[in-house]
Every structure is written in C-alpha cells, then in structure tokens.
Amino acid sequence: MAVFDTPQEAFGALRPVCVQLTRAQTVENVARLQAHLAAVSASALQELQEYVLFPLRFALKVPGPKQERLVQSVVQCISSVLAATCVKKQELLQELFSELCTCLSPPSGSGRPAPLSEELKLAVIQALHTLMHSAYGDVILSLYQPSTLPLLGFAVSLLLGLAEHEKAKQIKISALKCLQVLVLQCDCQEHRHLDEDEAQQCGDLFASFLPGISITLSRVITGDIKQGHKPTVSAIRLFYLIVGLVMADAQLARIPKNKEKLLAEQSRISELTVHRGPDWSKSTAEKLSLLLHKMVEFSSVHPHWKVRLELVELVHHLLRNCSQSLVDSFSHLLKALVGLVNDENSEVQSRCNEVLQGIAEQRIVAQNRALADVLSENLHSLATALPRLMNSQDDTGKVSTLSLFLGYLKLLGPKINIVLNSISHLHRLSKALMQVLELDVTDVKIVEDRRWGCESACRPSGSLQHGVQKGRCQKKYFRFFTEEKVFQLLQQVCRVLGYYGNLYLLVDHFMGLYGESGMYRKQAAMVLNELIAGAAGVGVDVLQEREVSLNTDDLKGSITSILDEYTDQANWYLITSIDTEEISHEHSVQHSGLTARPGACSSILLPSPELHVTTRTMNSNIWQICIQLEGVSCFAAVLGKEFRLLLLSALYPVLEKAGDKTLLISETALGTLVDICEACSYDSLQCLINENSDYLVNGISLNLRQLAHQARASQVLDTMLRHSDASLLPLVEDVIQDVLSTLDQSYNNQASTFLRVLHSVMAALVQWFGSSCGEKHRQRQTAEWQSRALSQGQHMVTRQEVERFFLDYVRQKQIAEGNFPDAGDEEADEIPPLAKLEPNDSATEGETSLPSHAQLAKDVMERCIHLLSDGNLRVRLKVLDVLELCVTVLHPHGNHLLPMAHRVWPALVTRLISDDPLAVLRAFKVLCTLAQKCGDFLRQRFSKDVLPKLTGSLLSQAPASARAGPVYNHTLAFKLQLAVLQGLGSLCEKLDMGESDLNKVADACLIYLSAKQPMKLQEAAQRSFLLSSKTVPQHLCYSSSQLDSKV
C-alpha cells in the first residue's frame, strides 16, 4: 500500500528529488525519483503528473550529448508515470509523443534508425505504447488531426524502420505492436470504438502512410524465415488492419469525387493529405494487388501454422471490408483461402471452413458480380491447367489443386451459372473433367474374372443381399491418379455442379459428350451419375443453400432421358469377352482310358482367330456397363419409391447384367438390384423379382423366340431363379417348357445357351425342393441299411479297429510264421432285374402324377440323355452338371428315377471310360450322386461296366504319381486320381458291393498307401479302404494277405 495517499504528502516527498534531478541529470537521481514514485498512490500521482514529468522531460531536452543509460532510465521512469496516470491534456500528449520519438531519431541525413542500444530502443517503444494507452477519452483524437500529420509520419517511419531493419526479434515485434496502436487498431479493449466520422477522418490521414506501411510490411512478411513466426504474424495483422481501414468500401463510398478547397494557411498541410477518390482507389488497389500476391504466395506455404492462420484472417478481414475496392486482389486471396481448407493443421482447417461458411451466409459473392467474375475467371484458368497439373503433380498436389477447384465452385454457389452459361467456360470445364476422369483399362484381370457356374444358387437371398451391401461400390483405377481422396474430390465437384447448376443444361451437355466419342463415354457417365446425385442433394457438401429447390418432375425427366440412353442397345450390349462356345466347333477327340494329357482341353480356352477385339476394348466396355449400372443405383436412390414407375424399363436390363458371365458386371448388377430394393421399399431381392415377375416373364418369353435375344433372356431367367423362391415356379413353368421345346428344335446351335438356363432351373429346384423332399427318404434309407446290417450280424468298423487288426495280424505272423486262413468263398453278387424289384414305400408313386417340379426335372433329364454324346466338350460338361441336379430333384421319386437311370447309364459309361479327362472327372461325380440316390440298383452295372476300368486306371497311374514331384498335385491326372480314390469307398458302401469287387478296390487302394504317393492320395485311399470295409469286414483278411504278399 502507498505511503503517500494525498497530493500534499506526495508533493512534500517528491519535491526534493525532482529539484535534485532538475539540477543534475544523472542516473542516480532518476533512480531516486523512481524509488519515491513507488510510495505514491495513483490518485496523488495523477494530481502531480505534470510536476513529476517536468524534470524527466527536462533531462531529455538538455542540449548536448547524453549517456544512453541516462536516457533509458528517464524513458523508463516516464513510462512508469504514464502507466499509473492518464494524460488529459492534448498539448501534453503531443509534446510527450514528440519528445519520445526524438529519442529514436537518426542522425541527420541517415535513413536508418539511430545507432542506439537495443535496451534503449525497446524502452522508447514501450514508452510510446504506454503513452498511447494513457491518453484519456477524446484526447487521443487530438493526435489525429491534419496539423499533426508530420508528427505522425515521423513516428510511423521510425517504427517501420525498426520493424524492418532490427535484428532483435523482440524489438521488431514491439515496434509492430506499437505501430498497430498508433493507427488505432489495437487489440485491447481500453480504447473506445471510433464512430463513423472519426474512422473516416483517421482513414484520410492514414491514406498518406499506406504506401510506405504496406511496402515495408510486405518486406517484413516475406523476409528471412529465420526471424521466426511472431514478427511475420504481427506484420500480417497490421497489414490487413491498416489496409482494411484505408480501403474500406464504406469509407470510399462517402468520399467526394473532387478534393475540397482548403484555406490558404491549410494549403501546405493539404499537400501532405491524400484524396481517396476513384482514381486514387483504383491505382492503390492495383499496387496492393501486387503486394498481396507476393505475400500470399509466401505465407500460404510458411512452415509455421500460425502464419497460415493469420493469412486466413487477412483474407476474411479484407473480403469483409474491401470486397469492392480490392476485387482484383481476391483472385490470389481466395485461392489461398480455399487452398488452406486441407491444411495439415486442424485449427487452420477449422478457421478456413468457418470463413468460407461466413462468406456464403453473408452472400458476399452472390451480391458482388465483380467478385463472381473474378472467381469464374480463376475457375476457367484452373480448368485449363487441370489436365496438365493432374499429369505432373504428385497425389498431394492433386488433392490441393482439386480442393482449390472445388472451393471456387462452392464460393460461387448460386452464381455458378455465370460459368455454365458461357460456352467457353462450360466447354473447358467439361473437357477437363473428361481428361482427368480417364480410367485405366489395361488390367487384364478385369476381363479374366468370370462367374463360373452358379456359385450363389444355393445361397439364401437374404445372405446374398447382405453380402452385396458390404462391398457394393466397385473400386475404379484411373490413369492420372491413384489416391482415393482425389476421386472423392472429383465426385464433390460434379455434385456441387449438379446442386447449383442448371440441370437441363448440364445433362444435355454431358449427354452430348457421352454420345460424341467412345473415349469420353465412361467419364461422361460418371459425371452424369454424380450430377443427378448432387441435384437431389445426396452426399453433397455445400456452403449455402441454393436459391430455388429442384422440382421432382424435372429430376425425373432428366433421369428418364439418361436411363433411356444407358439402356440403348448400342450402349448396353457391348462386347465384354470372347466366348468361343457358340462360334467355334470343337472336333470330337476320343481319349482312351483315363490318362490326362497336357493340352487336351486347350482348344476350348483360346479365342477364335477371326475375332480382333482387344483386351483394352473389352476392359473399357466392362467399366462402361458397370458405371451405367451404378447410375441406375444412383437414380433409384434419388427417386425413392418414385423409381417404381421406371422399373418397367430398368429392371429387365439390370437382371440381364446380373446374369452376365463377367464377374465385375454381375457383382455390380447385383449391387444395383439391392439398391433398387432399398429405394423402392422392397423387403428383399426376392420380393422385387416376385412382385415384378409378370412383365419379366413376358419379356423372357418374347425374347426366347428371337435368336439374337435368347442368350440375354436366359440370363434374366437365370438371375430370377437364383434369387427367388418356389412361388416363382408356376410363373416360369411355361417359359421353361418353351426352352425345352426350342432346345428340341435346335440341339446343334443353341444347346449351350439353353443348358445354362436348365442348369439354373435345376439348381433352383434343388434349393427349393431337394433338401426338404429328400430328408425323409434319406432317413428311411439309413434305417433300412442299419437294420440290414444288424440282421447280418455285422457291426460298424472304425478306423482304430482296422489299424488294431493289421497290427495284431503282423504280430501274430511274426510269431507263428504261418499262413493266414483264406477269407472263404466269395459271395454271389446277384441283383434282381428291374421287373422283379421288391416293392417299397415309394412303389405307389408311379400310379399318381409327379409334382410339377419333379416332372420338370424328368423332362430335363430326358434332354440330357440325348445331349450326353454331343460333340462339343463344353456342352457335355454342362449336361453332366444338369444331370446331377436332375438326379437330386428326382431322388424322392424312385419309380421314376430308376428307369431314367437305366436309360442314362450307357451314355454315362461312355463318358466315364472314353472321353476327355475333364468329362471323365465330371461324369464320375455324377456317378457318385447317382449311386447315392439309386442305391444297389446300380451294383451289377457298376461292377461290370465301370469298376474294372476305374481300378485298372488307378493301378496304371500309381507308378507315375509315386515318382512325381510336388507340381504333380496341380495336374488334371492327379485330380482325377484323387476324385476316384475319394469316391470308390462311398460307392462300395452305397452299392453294397460283393467281396470280389471289394478285393479289386482294395488292390487299387493298397498301392496308394505307399509313403511314396502324394499325401492326399494316401489319405483318400485310406478313407476308401475304411468305407469299403464297413460293407464286408471279412475282406480285411484278404486285404492283409495281399499286403503281405506285396511286402
């Protein structure tokens, strides 16, 4: 607490030291005064302010050289007095201001600051700063009169010199902050806010200093980076504050065109003042534009984030206050602002987004045509350079470039039609997008990936829908970039165009590009898809709402026109593969035995030499179809339930592509179907198909009558069957009968196409009826087999028992060295003919009509019997696949299955013993299925016609597999051996083979138990041996004796 609270007491204490200081100006006397001031209260010191300041000011005014220590101590003492008091007199303010500035004045004729110590310079700057804050109320404004202009100019030049030339960072920062206070732009809240007229007056005065201040500050900002970020930040802040004051649109609008005539005594002052008329404003704006361009280029890449953040504030401040006067500078300013949206620092990003949002909400661009023109020109220039930049920059540079491009579009907002209505602008913008979005179509894998067979035929539609949803969007590969972020920015560019732009104009223009050249078709389709999404406001990020919402009818009209173009035959039915099964005929080649020869089936893998479609073209066509399918998904998502009205034209083509053999196309089409279900509120893909099956079936029926459309119609039917349920069967039954009738008339030409349909039908029937109808029959067969086994006194033989038996046998033999008894007489293996079969539970099935699905399977099986001897290997393979499914469907109806098995047997045997190895492998699989379903009906036939060939082949192939290396596991011969070894055991079990046949199987399997054989063949032989042992356990004795003889 102060000792002297009253002016009288304080005067008594301070008078001696003040008198002493006046008489002798020494550092000690100043220190003594400083010490006494600490004991005086603020109120008492306020009353004695001028008295105390007098000896200090006198010390500064004494002529002659002075010690720097003395001047520094005097200035610091003045600063402490001013900090505790207020300056209430204008004269005192101006005199103190002048005296302090004089302390920094350079020698006459020198343009640089005086060669003073850093401590003294810092003390004077701090004293000036304190003086400006101690000015009371309106007293401060007395310093900002035309008459004081020279004094202000003197102070400004001193501070600018210190900010530019001083090496000490603290002096530079203090000088810049003091200068900020001097131009009445202090950050503190102590100064009262200037009213309109006062701000106008200060703007007129500071206009005289603007050239010097702006040039010097630009040099500080772009100076050596070693000075640190704080001087740069302070210089940027001071720059936009002084420019924002002098070039404010509100002030310049009130400036008269002509300068007022002043009185004679004011004429000299008038020479120093600036008239901020239109000519001056235009000239100054041009010069500031150069400075701003230089500053922005430097600051936008400054390594310190606070400098970049202050640059954002510069753009915000100038755009808010000088959007008209500095309109030519915003080409650079907005570029910097938009470019910093993706800054690595989160605070810079956040502030950028806030500023951009504020610009949009205040409609600064929308209400300023000149600013919109600047943005449109920037956009045109960037669009012109975009292909070059995307080809030369790295991914980071591409992201920055596209972020800038997108930022321009967002800032234009509703004014984007200024660009679109210009032919040159729209042409340049669209061609840039076409070039940048060019896809990489060199990947052969896209063409190679095929959808073989009917992989998802047995999968429930619900799980399919879930699986498609998880990976719905196909990843695209572009020529000019690989970063996913780049593609996302391009998507946003297109969506913002669709959101703000004239949709009819954009759709018409890009539809023209779509039809103009195949080079642009994929890119144009991608852009059209995104335009529609943007127009509907789906997934678009904008700064402001559009002025007029889009009419749903307009959107539907655009979608309809695009959809019609997409599904046009010229754009929908493109060559995506070279399928030779219809255009080349394979010569019949009879293969003896079961030996797999390399290259045996190579003829079916090579394309026809007559076709000259490149892989690049097929890849391009595949991507075009996929992009168009994604477009259908987008249109459905946009229209929602309204898309149901377009299903009549869209659903059938999409189902065609869902059945396409190209994997990428079929997966994309399935994703599109799932999207349609969601958009149109169908519960599942099954519901979508069933509820629209009437017109789909009609379309299939009509197209099956036209040779050119048969393959496509079969794809639609295939897709419907794979993703529906049994309720669809009555609707498609007539169509399937039409397929069978057509197949009867064109076995040679269309067999492959229709067999694919029949395969889909049979797979669907197995999925719908096979498991449920066959369960009871399988349970009955199992019970019969178990009861028969028990009645014969047999028991189940396990693997451990077999192993124990052999070990015990070897041990006994080693002890006794005798012969093991013979296994006994072979059992007779006779089977009653078909006419003498004992009746079973299904004997009455022939008396009643078959269910529709079973009758259908029987009809299909009839055709398979005739086609099993077709000369085309692919046809034979498909027939075998269909035949296996037919057997599964007819399984519960034994009285119909067994006669059909009797009829199919001769052709099947031919496939097993004298065909291509691929056909043999497939035929053996059919044989296993037939044996499982027909049981011992096939025992004698198998024993007589097939078993000798199979065992003979196994024995002949055993030496080769024993000598082979690990590569052998990948050969067709190995696969055939493995399939036969895996199947023989189950065949013996299902057919209840006799002991003589089991001995043949044992002979063939035993040789594969050798450690020299591949491990998989050993395991398969072991399993077959175990299964065959379950039928007649006593034949193990024979097998062991055989093993002993071989050993």
Side-chain angles (χ1 to χ4, degrees):
M1 182 174 178
V3 177
F4 309 107
D5 292 329
T6 64
Q8 293 79 8
E9 294 175 349
F11 180 76
L14 294 175
R15 184 175 181 278
V17 292
C18 287
V19 172
Q20 184 64 28
L21 179 58
T22 306
R23 291 176 178 174
Q25 295 81 31
T26 63
V27 176
E28 292 77 11
N29 290 337
V30 176
R32 193 176 295 112
L33 175 60
Q34 183 78 40
H36 281 72
L37 288 176
V40 179
S41 67
S43 58
L45 186 57
Q46 179 66 50
E47 296 293 331
L48 301 173
Q49 181 190 55
E50 292 187 55
Y51 180 79
V52 174
L53 286 175
F54 175 79
L56 296 171
R57 293 171 59 194
F58 182 76
L60 294 177
K61 292 178 181 180
V62 172
K66 306 176 188 66
Q67 293 182 0
E68 284 192 5
R69 286 184 58 208
L70 174 62
V71 176
Q72 180 183 344
S73 61
V74 169
V75 170
Q76 288 174 342
C77 191
I78 291 175
S79 182
S80 64
V81 173
L82 294 175
T85 61
C86 294
V87 178
K88 299 182 179 180
K89 293 183 178 180
Q90 298 178 3
E91 296 80 5
L92 180 61
L93 174 64
Q94 294 180 16
E95 289 172 2
L96 282 172
F97 187 81
S98 175
E99 291 162 2
L100 289 173
C101 290
T102 305
C103 295
L104 294 174
S105 61
S108 58
S110 174
R112 292 179 176 272
L116 306 174
S117 65
E118 292 181 358
E119 291 79 5
L120 177 56
K121 293 175 183 177
L122 192 57
V124 174
I125 294 171
Q126 293 291 349
L128 283 171
H129 190 277
T130 306
L131 174 63
M132 298 300 296
H133 281 86
S134 68
Y136 183 80
D138 295 335
V139 174
I140 188 70
L141 295 179
S142 65
L143 198 59
Y144 300 94
Q145 302 296 327
S147 58
T148 59
L149 195 57
L151 180 58
L152 284 174
F154 178 56
V156 168
S157 62
L158 287 175
L159 293 172
L160 286 175
L162 291 171
E164 182 180 4
H165 299 296
E166 278 296 327
K167 300 299 182 183
K169 185 188 301 184
Q170 189 59 42
I171 295 179
K172 294 171 78 75
I173 297 172
S174 298
L176 289 169
K177 289 185 176 180
C178 186
L179 195 54
Q180 184 177 337
V181 176
L182 187 59
V183 295
L184 298 179
Q185 299 297 320
C186 183
D187 296 329
C188 69
Q189 303 298 323
E190 296 179 18
H191 292 105
R192 70 177 182 83
H193 182 71
L194 300 177
D195 60 28
E196 191 174 294
D197 293 333
E198 293 169 348
Q200 185 86 16
Q201 180 182 348
C202 291
D204 290 336
L205 288 175
F206 297 148
S208 302
F209 311 139
L210 184 61
I213 292 176
S214 58
I215 292 173
T216 304
L217 290 178
S218 68
R219 287 200 291 259
V220 174
I221 293 169
T222 58
D224 192 350
I225 201 171
K226 294 179 181 178
Q227 69 182 353
H229 72 279
K230 289 185 178 180
T232 307
V233 170
S234 298
I236 292 175
R237 182 180 296 113
L238 178 57
F239 184 93
Y240 70 72
L241 289 174
I242 187 66
V243 172
L245 176 65
V246 176
M247 301 297 293
D249 295 333
Q251 290 193 24
L252 295 179
R254 298 199 302 270
I255 300 294
K257 291 185 178 181
N258 298 318
K259 189 174 182 179
E260 297 179 0
K261 292 183 179 181
L262 300 175
L263 300 175
E265 61 271 13
Q266 297 176 333
S267 59
R268 293 188 64 186
I269 297 297
S270 66
E271 294 176 2
L272 300 177
T273 59
V274 171
H275 177 67
R276 293 186 291 169
D279 295 337
W280 179 88
S281 300
K282 182 178 180 182
S283 174
T284 304
E286 292 175 355
K287 296 170 184 176
L288 286 173
S289 179
L290 298 175
L291 297 177
L292 283 168
H293 180 44
K294 182 180 178 182
M295 290 164 48
V296 164
E297 282 191 340
F298 182 86
S299 303
S300 59
V301 294
H302 196 282
H304 202 282
W305 65 272
K306 288 189 177 180
V307 175
R308 302 194 299 273
L309 182 62
E310 202 61 36
L311 179 60
V312 175
E313 298 298 338
L314 179 144
V315 179
H316 181 223
H317 187 84
L318 295 184
L319 188 60
R320 185 177 57 189
N321 296 285
C322 313
S323 59
Q324 295 178 5
S325 61
L326 295 180
V327 66
D328 294 335
S329 300
F330 285 104
S331 173
H332 315 301
L333 296 177
L334 291 176
K335 179 180 179 180
L337 181 63
V338 175
L340 291 173
V341 168
N342 293 310
D343 192 86
E344 61 185 17
N345 184 270
S346 59
E347 291 191 36
V348 178
Q349 283 188 24
S350 176
R351 184 57 184 152
C352 265
N353 288 321
E354 289 176 9
V355 172
L356 288 172
Q357 191 69 43
I359 292 171
E361 291 175 355
Q362 296 170 24
R363 302 179 60 80
I364 293 176
V365 177
Q367 296 174 1
N368 190 335
R369 177 59 188 263
L371 196 55
D373 289 340
V374 169
L375 282 172
S376 63
E377 288 303 319
N378 280 12
L379 193 63
H380 183 268
S381 300
L382 187 56
T384 303
L386 192 59
R388 174 180 57 81
L389 294 174
M390 296 297 288
N391 196 25
S392 60
Q393 292 179 322
D394 59 7
D395 283 346
T396 303
K398 291 170 185 175
V399 169
S400 299
T401 300
L402 287 173
S403 297
L404 182 61
F405 195 85
L406 178 60
Y408 285 155
L409 292 175
K410 289 182 178 181
L411 283 174
L412 278 170
K415 290 291 183 180
I416 208 168
N417 286 311
I418 296 175
V419 177
L420 301 181
N421 290 334
S422 168
I423 296 177
S424 63
H425 282 63
L426 180 58
H427 178 77
R428 178 56 59 192
L429 177 64
S430 59
K431 284 301 175 69
L433 289 174
M434 293 301 98
Q435 294 178 55
V436 171
L437 283 169
E438 184 177 351
L439 286 167
D440 180 8
V441 292
T442 59
D443 187 8
V444 180
K445 193 174 185 296
I446 298 295
V447 182
E448 289 178 339
D449 285 344
R450 312 290 287 166
R451 185 179 64 84
W452 297 109
C454 193
E455 304 90 341
S456 59
C458 299
R459 181 169 50 181
S461 59
S463 64
L464 167 78
Q465 186 164 346
H466 178 70
V468 172
Q469 284 178 333
K470 289 173 65 176
R472 185 181 305 172
C473 186
Q474 301 292 348
K475 181 176 175 59
K476 300 175 182 63
Y477 300 92
F478 295 88
R479 181 180 174 187
F480 293 113
F481 60 88
T482 57
E483 183 68 36
E484 184 67 21
K485 176 68 173 176
V486 176
F487 180 54
Q488 292 172 0
L489 287 170
L490 286 168
Q491 283 182 308
Q492 280 298 312
V493 166
C494 298
R495 291 182 183 182
V496 170
L497 282 172
Y499 185 79
Y500 289 121
N502 185 331
L503 185 60
Y504 280 116
L505 173 65
L506 288 167
V507 169
D508 181 70
H509 180 77
F510 284 99
M511 286 290 285
L513 291 174
Y514 178 88
E516 177 182 316
S517 169
M519 188 191 318
Y520 294 149
R521 192 160 294 144
K522 297 182 293 298
Q523 300 95 300
M526 277 190 281
V527 173
L528 286 168
N529 296 345
E530 301 301 334
L531 286 175
I532 295 298
V538 176
V540 61
D541 181 22
V542 293
L543 297 174
Q544 56 184 314
E545 296 294 326
R546 51 190 164 194
E547 296 174 345
V548 180
S549 298
L550 188 67
N551 191 336
T552 305
D553 293 335
D554 295 339
L555 186 62
K556 191 185 300 183
S558 298
I559 288 175
T560 303
S561 63
I562 298 173
L563 195 58
D564 290 342
E565 191 70 21
Y566 280 0
T567 55
D568 183 77
Q569 288 193 8
N571 302 320
W572 196 254
Y573 303 113
L574 305 174
I575 298 176
T576 58
S577 65
I578 303 177
D579 195 347
T580 60
E581 64 180 8
E582 310 243 342
I583 60 175
S584 64
H585 182 73
E586 179 192 349
H587 298 287
S588 298
V589 180
Q590 296 295 329
H591 300 279
S592 58
L594 299 175
T595 305
R597 299 179 229 166
C601 58
S602 61
S603 61
I604 67 172
L605 302 177
L606 298 177
S608 171
E610 300 177 1
L611 295 178
H612 300 286
V613 182
T614 64
T615 303
R616 187 185 184 92
T617 301
M618 291 186 288
N619 190 320
S620 177
N621 291 342
I622 289 170
W623 276 118
Q624 181 183 331
I625 294 172
C626 289
I627 291 167
Q628 291 171 172
L629 285 166
E630 290 173 358
V632 178
S633 295
C634 174
F635 304 155
V638 164
L639 291 180
K641 287 189 177 181
E642 292 290 325
F643 192 75
R644 289 196 177 204
L645 301 175
L646 300 179
L647 284 178
L648 197 62
S649 59
L651 185 55
Y652 191 94
V654 175
L655 286 170
E656 280 182 350
K657 296 306 176 186
D660 198 280
K661 290 184 179 179
T662 303
L663 183 63
L664 190 65
I665 294 177
S666 63
E667 286 182 349
T668 307
L670 287 174
T672 300
L673 289 171
V674 173
D675 287 335
I676 292 174
C677 290
E678 293 179 357
C680 299
S681 299
Y682 288 104
D683 293 336
S684 64
L685 188 53
Q686 176 182 316
C687 294
L688 172 67
I689 293 173
N690 289 353
E691 294 188 23
N692 295 276
S693 57
D694 48 355
Y695 94 87
L696 290 173
V697 170
N698 181 61
I700 294 171
S701 180
L702 292 175
N703 287 328
L704 282 175
R705 298 170 189 172
Q706 304 179 42
L707 184 62
H709 297 162
Q710 284 177 349
R712 301 169 194 162
S714 69
Q715 290 177 351
V716 177
L717 183 59
D718 172 48
T719 305
M720 292 176 65
L721 290 169
R722 281 192 290 123
H723 304 298
S724 188
D725 59 3
S727 62
L728 184 67
L729 184 60
L731 295 172
V732 300
E733 194 168 359
D734 292 340
V735 175
I736 298 170
Q737 291 298 333
D738 290 343
V739 170
L740 294 175
S741 301
T742 308
L743 183 61
D744 292 339
Q745 301 168 10
S746 56
Y747 276 118
N748 295 330
N749 300 325
Q750 301 299 316
S752 181
T753 300
F754 290 125
L755 279 171
R756 184 182 178 191
V757 178
L758 296 179
H759 185 277
S760 301
V761 172
M762 290 299 102
L765 294 182
V766 169
Q767 179 183 347
W768 298 339
F769 303 103
S771 57
S772 60
C773 295
E775 184 65 28
K776 185 175 181 181
H777 189 75
R778 283 195 297 271
Q779 292 176 356
R780 183 171 62 249
Q781 278 190 331
T782 302
E784 290 175 355
W785 184 85
Q786 290 178 346
S787 63
R788 183 168 65 249
L790 292 174
S791 65
Q792 295 174 355
Q794 299 175 351
H795 66 278
M796 303 294 289
V797 183
T798 65
R799 175 174 176 170
Q800 290 76 13
E801 291 174 342
V802 173
E803 184 177 0
R804 192 181 308 113
F805 177 85
F806 274 108
L807 292 175
D808 187 51
Y809 165 76
V810 172
R811 186 168 51 255
Q812 293 294 334
K813 181 177 181 300
Q814 290 175 347
I815 295 174
E817 295 184 356
N819 294 326
F820 196 79
D822 293 335
D825 298 334
E826 295 182 357
E827 296 180 0
D829 188 15
E830 298 294 335
I831 182 170
L834 182 62
K836 297 181 181 180
L837 283 172
E838 294 182 3
N840 54 23
D841 293 344
S842 60
T844 60
E845 291 176 0
E847 301 173 3
T848 59
S849 60
L850 282 172
S852 59
H853 67 277
Q855 184 62 48
L856 194 58
K858 185 177 179 182
D859 294 341
V860 173
M861 197 168 178
E862 289 273 3
R863 273 71 176 183
C864 291
I865 294 172
H866 299 294
L867 288 171
L868 268 177
S869 57
D870 191 274
N872 191 318
L873 175 59
R874 286 191 173 183
V875 171
R876 297 198 300 274
L877 293 175
K878 288 184 178 180
V879 169
L880 289 168
D881 286 339
V882 175
L883 184 61
E884 182 182 4
L885 295 172
C886 291
V887 172
T888 303
V889 176
L890 280 176
H891 173 215
H893 311 283
N895 281 3
H896 295 274
L897 175 61
L898 297 183
M900 296 303 297
H902 174 74
R903 292 180 57 192
V904 80
W905 183 256
L908 182 62
V909 170
T910 304
R911 303 282 73 77
L912 279 166
I913 64 177
S914 181
D915 205 338
D916 187 280
L918 281 174
V920 174
L921 192 60
R922 202 74 57 88
F924 186 76
K925 184 180 178 183
V926 175
L927 174 64
C928 293
T929 303
L930 202 59
Q932 182 182 3
K933 307 302 181 184
C934 297
D936 54 8
F937 170 73
L938 297 178
R939 181 193 303 137
Q940 187 176 9
R941 303 167 193 270
F942 174 73
S943 175
K944 178 182 178 182
D945 299 335
V946 178
L947 184 61
K949 293 286 185 179
L950 291 178
T951 54
S953 175
L954 286 175
L955 292 171
S956 65
Q957 290 290 315
S961 61
R963 295 190 305 269
V967 180
Y968 185 73
N969 290 4
H970 303 285
T971 62
L972 189 59
F974 171 81
K975 295 177 182 177
L976 192 55
Q977 283 175 285
L978 183 62
V980 173
L981 286 171
Q982 288 175 337
L984 270 179
S986 61
L987 281 172
C988 292
E989 181 184 13
K990 296 295 181 183
L991 299 181
D992 196 16
M993 302 298 293
E995 188 170 346
S996 60
D997 291 329
L998 291 176
N999 290 336
K1000 295 177 183 178
V1001 173
D1003 286 339
C1005 291
L1006 281 173
I1007 195 170
Y1008 284 94
L1009 295 177
S1010 170
K1012 296 180 180 180
Q1013 294 290 342
M1015 183 57 65
K1016 288 187 177 180
L1017 295 184
Q1018 294 182 47
E1019 294 173 353
Q1022 189 178 24
R1023 283 195 296 270
S1024 290
F1025 198 85
L1026 289 172
L1027 288 173
S1028 63
S1029 301
K1030 293 181 181 179
T1031 306
V1032 182
Q1034 291 82 1
H1035 99 283
L1036 286 175
C1037 304
Y1038 172 80
S1039 301
S1040 60
S1041 65
Q1042 291 294 102
L1043 181 62
D1044 178 63
S1045 64
K1046 294 180 187 296
V1047 173

